[in-house]
Amino acid sequence: MIPIPERYLNACEHAGTVTPLNYDGKTVLLYQPAGQADSLLVLIHGGGGNERDFFCSAFLNIVDHLIAERRMAPVFIIAPCFYDPDETDKSPSSSGRAVAKFPRELRERILPLVERYLGRAFDRTQRAISGFSMGGVATWHAFVQALDLFSIFLPLSGDCWIQGEKGGGSHPTETAQALAEAVLRQNSPEFLIRAITGSKDIAYPNLDPQIRAMQQLPVFLDRLTYDVLEDGVHDYATIFRYLYNALPQLFPAQRD
Ligand code: FER
């Protein structure tokens, strides 16, 4: 996994725009790239965070540069917040409850809002979902609840909590089994999971056993890729590096 070139952190000449969209006392941020985009990525913050965490940083500069240099296709990116507007409890158990019900908010409120604003719809093959830490936990919930909405899942340093808090580590076999059953229950559509973490990440002991259990199940064969960055830790700088490497693979630039 290569490091991000230093110049990618600086502002790009061909930059996208960010628009805040409001609903139910909350805000979702919409990044519109320079150029014609045909897919939509949902990018979810970590525990204690909000919709600004990914977008107030060098992250969008990196995306701008990848697109400007035709290393990836232009994509719309939305950054929502999974907490209720009045929520003050940001503990793991409170965050765990918030992310478990978040796919429903994506389905009923956020995706319709964004698609109405853009004046166009996306189908599941054009939608991807990713998140860091609790946002990764949210990404696994979306896999269980919303395979009809998304085809690409990019959980970053977060495990699946459908068997309880940090259940990917404490109940890896049961978690993998439940994820496989979720595929069958949702009529076995095509999908791709790309899980990434670091060997020194606090979520590594939870995510790694889960992925190893999933790798034993035929349903995930050829549909699951897994990368562990040597010495990678649990912070946004490291997560940007994962996205820098993964986004060009998931959204390949069109050849002309
Ligand atoms: C994990 C998944 C998520 C984990 C921690 C989190 C320690 C997030 C906690 C938080 O944001 O409060 O596997 O392992």
Side-chain angles (χ1 to χ4, degrees), residues 46-47 92 133-134 137 157-159 161 166 202-203 206 234:
S133 191
M134 286 309 301
V137 179
S157 297
D159 60 316
W161 287 18
K166 298 170 195 162
I202 55 163
N206 305 318
H234 198 75

Side-chain angles (χ1 to χ4, degrees), residues 131-143:
F132 165 47
S133 191
M134 286 309 301
V137 179
T139 302
W140 290 110
H141 279 299
F143 185 84

Side-chain angles (χ1 to χ4, degrees), residues 100-119:
K101 63 190 178 74
F102 192 62
R104 183 170 175 178
E105 185 169 323
L106 275 170
R107 178 189 299 281
E108 295 181 355
R109 307 293 290 138
I110 299 173
L111 291 176
L113 174 75
V114 170
E115 296 187 3
R116 211 178 315 120
Y117 178 82
L118 290 173

Side-chain angles (χ1 to χ4, degrees), residues 2-9 71 244:
I2 61 175
I4 303 166
E6 201 65 43
R7 65 193 169 80
Y8 270 44
L9 302 175
R71 295 181 53 202
Y244 168 78

Side-chain angles (χ1 to χ4, degrees), residues 47-66:
N50 61 51
E51 71 278 2
R52 296 185 299 278
D53 291 353
F54 272 104
F55 280 12
C56 72
S57 59
F59 173 68
L60 289 180
N61 293 342
I62 298 168
V63 176
D64 285 336
H65 282 288
L66 284 170

